[in-house]
Amino acid sequence: MVSKPADKFRLTPAFSKILVTICSLLILSGCLQQSQTIQTEWQSPLLKDHPLNGQIFDIKNNSNISYSQLINQLGNYRYILIGEKHDNPDHHKLERQLLGDLQQSSATRVVLEMLNQQQSSGFNQLNASSSNKEIKDALHWPDKGWPWKDYSGLVVSALQNNNDIRGGNLKRSLLMDIYRGAKPDEARFTTVSKISSDIKQTILKQVYESHCKTIATDQLAPMVEIQISRDASMAYNLTQKLTSTQQAILFTGGFHGRKDTGVAQHLVQLGADKREIITVQLVEADEHALTAQDYPFASPQIADYIMFTPKYSDQDYCAPLRKTAEH
């Protein structure tokens, strides 16, 4: 039987036997009494009593798993894609926890959607003892779009653990060039032309809905190209000069983290085996969806695991766009 490419990240049989023996000896202490929920003090104020809060749903097996089981599973894969809702503080807290439990010094590459490739050169000036201000200044952190208070813990953790950290996003001038129809001649965009028309149609639907259905779909082609180009850039930075012993973790928005349309599609085009890629979606509870199967991300084509949290805001983000469209 051909072994999975990700098998090299698994525990050795000998060590697994030792771990089982230790757990057997410690049953009375609760080694095998794993909690099926994430234990945390939620910062998001809405739907704190929702029954799914803290649950981790294994989509393939249609069952809940414990946090330690999730960490054990993630350790088997070369590429881990973690999708967040950008304004949810509980998502940022869980991301810091996930990184803290997964990172293995320089054997871990961390790619951030929040930084562009040029900004990440600032890491060359930093080290584990750098202060928050030194880090923010060296990276020219884009606080307006990505509040430093939300992501400082993630960046500091990666720096202190000597992770291989890279930005995956595109600088504004390049985004504008793509919007105007330019095709950047860079290695990180080689996968853009390989994305199928079916996937582009799905992305078009996502972009249409994310713009609150206020812009006609025939005007959204430039936005689709930007979305695909950003996915391509993040995938490239996950794979570029990645050594055989490194594991790469991406922190990004939920749509970029989708298996069917996002960064994963570009990873495959760059030569990654699908069995090397795993996705975790951090998802806010919905008062009208009381079981995990009720959520759009709960499809094996879209994600592998869902971690549920309370909801941060009930603000109608579409209201300003609708108001502009009316005038």
Side-chain angles (χ1 to χ4, degrees):
M1 182 175 69
V2 178
S3 62
K4 293 182 180 180
D7 281 348
K8 58 191 167 191
F9 294 105
R10 294 184 183 276
L11 296 173
T12 64
F15 187 76
S16 295
K17 290 180 180 178
I18 293 172
L19 188 61
V20 169
T21 301
I22 293 172
C23 282
S24 297
L25 293 173
L26 297 177
I27 277 181
L28 294 178
S29 299
C31 181
L32 296 181
Q33 304 298 316
Q34 303 284 359
S35 171
Q36 294 300 111
T37 61
I38 310 160
Q39 301 299 319
T40 187
E41 294 183 6
W42 302 116
Q43 298 177 47
S44 298
L46 305 179
L47 302 179
K48 283 190 172 183
D49 296 326
H50 194 284
L52 290 179
N53 287 339
Q55 290 189 14
I56 304 171
F57 186 63
D58 179 339
I59 296 171
K60 179 180 178 181
N61 294 309
N62 196 37
S63 63
N64 291 336
I65 62 172
S66 69
Y67 178 77
S68 60
Q69 287 173 320
L70 174 67
I71 293 299
N72 184 54
Q73 288 299 314
L74 296 182
N76 296 330
Y77 294 84
R78 190 163 195 205
Y79 302 102
I80 303 174
L81 312 182
I82 299 175
E84 65 171 25
K85 188 172 184 293
H86 296 312
D87 64 356
N88 189 308
D90 293 311
H91 291 191
H92 304 140
K93 182 177 179 180
L94 287 173
E95 286 172 329
R96 294 193 296 272
Q97 183 177 352
L98 285 165
L99 180 61
D101 291 327
L102 288 168
Q103 61 190 352
Q104 298 292 327
S105 190
S106 58
T108 298
R109 173 173 295 178
V110 174
V111 175
L112 303 170
E113 178 195 352
M114 304 83 207
L115 288 177
N116 65 48
Q117 192 165 282
Q118 287 69 31
Q119 285 171 300
S120 61
S121 63
F123 284 113
N124 297 330
Q125 309 168 35
L126 302 169
N127 55 53
S129 62
S130 298
S131 68
N132 266 25
K133 185 179 187 306
E134 288 172 334
I135 298 169
K136 186 179 178 182
D137 290 347
L139 298 176
H140 302 287
W141 187 268
D143 200 44
K144 185 176 181 180
W146 308 98
W148 176 242
K149 65 180 178 62
D150 292 341
Y151 298 99
S152 59
L154 194 65
V155 176
V156 169
S157 177
L159 264 174
Q160 291 180 341
N161 201 254
N162 194 35
N163 295 160
D164 174 9
I165 318 169
R166 305 188 178 202
N169 215 332
L170 312 180
K171 62 182 181 180
R172 181 173 177 79
S173 60
L174 187 53
L175 287 172
M176 293 307 300
D177 287 343
I178 295 170
Y179 185 82
R180 297 185 186 103
K183 306 291 183 183
D185 184 20
E186 296 183 34
R188 57 178 164 156
F189 299 116
T190 56
T191 58
V192 171
S193 62
K194 299 178 182 179
I195 298 303
S196 72
S197 57
D198 287 344
I199 292 176
K200 287 184 177 181
Q201 283 300 310
T202 302
I203 295 174
L204 176 61
K205 182 180 178 181
Q206 293 172 6
V207 172
Y208 178 61
E209 292 177 350
S210 69
H211 284 76
C212 308
K213 302 179 181 180
T214 58
I215 303 175
T217 55
D218 59 3
Q219 298 178 33
L220 291 174
M223 299 301 296
V224 172
E225 286 301 308
I226 286 176
Q227 179 92 348
I228 294 172
S229 297
R230 294 175 71 200
D231 288 339
S233 180
M234 285 186 270
Y236 180 79
N237 282 284
L238 283 166
T239 59
Q240 185 193 33
K241 297 181 181 178
L242 190 72
T243 69
S244 60
T245 58
Q246 279 186 302
Q247 184 178 56
I249 307 174
L250 172 68
F251 294 96
T252 186
F255 284 119
H256 294 294
R258 287 179 58 142
K259 291 166 61 178
D260 59 338
T261 58
V263 174
Q265 292 293 321
H266 296 265
L267 289 175
V268 172
Q269 293 295 337
L270 289 168
D273 190 303
K274 290 181 180 180
R275 296 172 297 175
E276 295 181 299
I277 306 167
I278 198 78
T279 64
V280 180
Q281 289 286 349
L282 308 180
V283 173
E284 290 185 328
D286 183 332
E287 61 183 327
H288 302 297
L290 301 181
T291 67
Q293 294 87 345
D294 294 332
Y295 289 76
F297 280 114
S299 163
Q301 286 73 45
I302 295 175
D304 296 297
Y305 298 100
I306 296 176
M307 300 177 76
F308 289 99
T309 74
K311 187 176 181 180
Y312 176 64
S313 172
D314 57 5
Q315 177 183 346
D316 182 0
Y317 295 100
C318 286
L321 283 175
R322 284 195 296 263
K323 186 175 181 179
T324 300
E326 290 171 0
H327 291 83

